[in-house]
Amino acid sequence: MTSFQLSDDHEDLRRVVAAFAREEIAPHAARWDAEHTFPVEVVRRMGELGLFGLSAPPEYGGAGDFTSLCVAIEELGRVDQSIGITLEAAVGLGINPIAGAGSAEQKQRWLPDLVAGRALAGFGLTEPEAGSDAGATRTRAVRDGDEWVIDGTKQFITNSGSVLTSLVTVTARTGERPDGRPELSAFIVPAGTPGFTVEPAYAKLGWHASDTHPLTFESVRVPADHLLGEQGKGFAQFLATLDDGRVAIAALALGCLRACRDLALEYAGQRQSFGGPIGRKQGVAFQLADLDVMVRSAHLLVYAAAAQRDAMTSDNPQQAREFKQAREFKQAAAVAKLYATESAVTATRVATQVFGGYGFMEEYPVARFYRDAKILEIGEGTSEIQRMIIARGLGLPVE
Ligand SMILES: Cc1cc2nc3c(=O)[nH]c(=O)nc-3n(C[C@H](O)[C@H](O)[C@H](O)COP(=O)(O)OP(=O)(O)OC[C@H]3O[C@@H](n4cnc5c(N)ncnc54)[C@H](O)[C@@H]3O)c2cc1C
């Protein structure tokens, strides 16, 4: 495992984001959740703070440090999981596919606004019949002269229909590979392109202040230069993007874990029963001890994986070493995602239990964290898919 230590700069950033979350998000989080409001002005303020550019390439206005992004997502997620996922998806699913596979023109056209948080991009991989099995994509793109014509449906797409959304990237079949499997390519579809419809937002269990829509594409024409990366490389590009996203989701889960430990600890010291605080009972105290173990373990896994990611971007001319690094990072990302997200779900259950009946009331944040946590085990690869990746990384021929 890569050793790591968060630098003074990371801790300074943590203080800045924590103050922003405390002052500008915490007072409104319950209302945004209850009213299902996507808080556009706060997202713009996050842009002004530079949060969308933390890991983006410096030549497009970013700071190029993935660990910083994880710190920011963790601090936002400690207060409001919806705002945390808005940043996570905007970078991991919005900026990264273009920064990683885009042409110079595409980067120049789209990245400055995305990096500054003046615009958001969605990432359209999942379809009604293709989620974990994303290679089963049915959306098609057919070349017609200087254009591609796209037809299909995408589902559960984050940041895809907000007033700030400037584009979505989507995977589509562009042919058949020699082995008979579909050839998948990726395309940039600007918001407002005729035939591209953002359907009404979902009614979700949690993440109420995050923007999620089904999308339909009916004879959507985009210029040939909207192909993202090479034809036939769309699936591989998206899978590479997901490794970073998994660590970032683990950071979001770490924020949830810390919130649950801290809220439950405070309550356990105050709530009286049988003549004293409930925290003096081992039945409560030991559960809080377990939460602390989860927080510390998740912290180590998240920031060790983030440090590995940052090390991969430094100069490394030896291809073999790069490949080994990428493989080890894939494993570290899946382990961090699996552990942190499953722990977060457990932590919300424990925290709600410590709060007793009050934990079931929306006036206490633990109820919101309880609803918000479940999706962490599903999005950007379910727990089962993480276990599959980890087992394959161990050399097992898992199907
Ligand atoms: C709020 C929200 C936001 C999202 N945002 C985005 C987004 O921005 N972009 C995007 O592209 N997608 C997004 N998704 C989709 C998300 O990534 C998928 O829901 C997820 O990957 C699971 O796919 P599925 O829902 O089709 O479930 P399925 O793939 O149908 O899985 C159903 C169950 O079967 C299990 N399963 C499937 N295959 C296997 C296997 N081989 N071995 C063992 N178990 C298996 C799964 O683990 C799961 O428990 C979002 C989803 C939600 C709910």
Side-chain angles (χ1 to χ4, degrees), residues 16-25 42 45-46 49 76:
V16 169
V17 180
F20 174 78
R22 192 170 57 243
E23 287 157 21
E24 303 202 27
I25 297 174
V42 164
R45 284 275 299 122
M46 286 157 56
L49 268 182
L76 295 176

Side-chain angles (χ1 to χ4, degrees), residues 93 123-126 130-133 155-158 204 207 212 375 378-382 384-385 388:
L93 304 177
F123 170 99
L125 179 65
T126 306
S132 303
D133 186 10
Q155 123 173 323
F156 307 149
I157 310 305
T158 305
K204 305 188 293 268
W207 283 3
T212 327
I375 177 62
I378 298 169
E380 302 207 25
T382 63
E384 291 73 26
I385 295 301
M388 193 175 86

Side-chain angles (χ1 to χ4, degrees), residues 330-376:
K330 178 180 269 309
Q331 189 81 348
V335 169
K337 205 248 174 198
L338 178 65
Y339 179 79
T341 60
E342 293 201 338
S343 299
V345 172
T346 301
T348 61
R349 185 169 49 72
V350 170
T352 307
Q353 190 70 16
V354 168
F355 271 72
Y358 292 111
F360 200 61
M361 299 299 139
E362 290 289 356
E363 63 189 287
Y364 290 90
V366 288
R368 176 161 47 85
F369 280 107
Y370 187 86
R371 288 187 285 97
D372 283 342
K374 182 58 203 169
I375 177 62
L376 295 168

Side-chain angles (χ1 to χ4, degrees), residues 82-390:
S82 287
I83 304 298
I85 187 58
T86 298
L87 174 62
E88 191 282 331
V91 177
L93 304 177
I95 291 173
N96 287 358
I98 297 176
S103 64
E105 291 75 27
Q106 288 167 340
K107 290 179 185 174
Q108 200 52 57
R109 175 170 175 193
W110 300 108
L111 285 184
D113 280 348
L114 296 174
V115 167
R118 292 186 293 266
L120 293 173
F123 170 99
L125 179 65
T126 306
E127 299 189 358
E129 308 289 332
S132 303
D133 186 10
T137 295
R138 292 189 177 181
T139 297
R140 285 184 182 281
V142 176
R143 186 73 187 252
D144 182 23
D146 286 344
E147 294 177 323
W148 288 94
V149 185
I150 303 173
D151 282 278
T153 309
K154 296 289 174 181
Q155 123 173 323
F156 307 149
I157 310 305
T158 305
N159 289 340
S160 63
S162 77
V163 295
L164 297 175
T165 304
S166 61
L167 69 109
V168 293
T169 52
V170 294
T171 45
R173 287 180 182 224
T174 45
E176 201 170 272
R177 299 188 337 181
D179 62 5
R181 286 164 47 206
E183 174 193 272
L184 297 182
S185 305
F187 296 89
I188 294 175
V189 181
T193 304
F196 166 29
T197 308
V198 177
E199 305 291 349
Y202 292 98
K204 305 188 293 268
L205 173 66
W207 283 3
H208 287 167
S210 151
D211 180 70
T212 327
H213 298 264
L215 308 175
T216 54
F217 302 83
E218 287 174 329
S219 301
V220 173
R221 289 182 171 269
V222 294
D225 65 6
H226 282 38
L227 177 71
L228 182 62
E230 276 178 56
Q231 185 173 339
K233 291 280 168 65
F235 191 48
Q237 284 164 208
F238 272 59
L239 289 185
T241 305
L242 285 178
D243 287 338
D244 288 12
R246 283 172 183 152
V247 182
I249 289 277
L252 183 60
L254 174 57
C256 177
L257 268 165
R258 279 179 58 209
C260 289
R261 180 198 59 186
D262 296 347
L263 290 165
L265 187 59
E266 191 186 355
Y267 191 78
Q270 292 168 356
R271 178 69 176 170
Q272 304 287 314
S273 83
F274 299 100
I278 56 174
R280 80 193 190 288
K281 301 288 186 188
Q282 288 188 355
V284 173
F286 287 4
Q287 293 195 73
L288 289 168
D290 287 347
L291 292 193
D292 196 48
V293 173
M294 289 178 207
V295 168
R296 288 165 187 270
S297 308
H299 176 94
L300 293 173
L301 291 173
V302 167
Y303 289 106
Q308 252 176 292
R309 180 69 188 84
D310 282 324
M312 280 165 66
T313 51
S314 61
D315 289 343
N316 179 0
Q318 286 181 358
Q319 270 205 338
R321 204 172 141 212
E322 280 176 12
F323 178 68
K324 186 160 173 272
Q325 275 189 326
R327 235 180 22 196
E328 283 171 4
F329 174 60
K330 178 180 269 309
Q331 189 81 348
V335 169
K337 205 248 174 198
L338 178 65
Y339 179 79
T341 60
E342 293 201 338
S343 299
V345 172
T346 301
T348 61
R349 185 169 49 72
V350 170
T352 307
Q353 190 70 16
V354 168
F355 271 72
Y358 292 111
F360 200 61
M361 299 299 139
E362 290 289 356
E363 63 189 287
Y364 290 90
V366 288
R368 176 161 47 85
F369 280 107
Y370 187 86
R371 288 187 285 97
D372 283 342
K374 182 58 203 169
I375 177 62
L376 295 168
E377 294 179 324
I378 298 169
E380 302 207 25
T382 63
S383 286
E384 291 73 26
I385 295 301
Q386 305 315 310
R387 287 192 166 86
M388 193 175 86
I389 294 168
I390 295 164

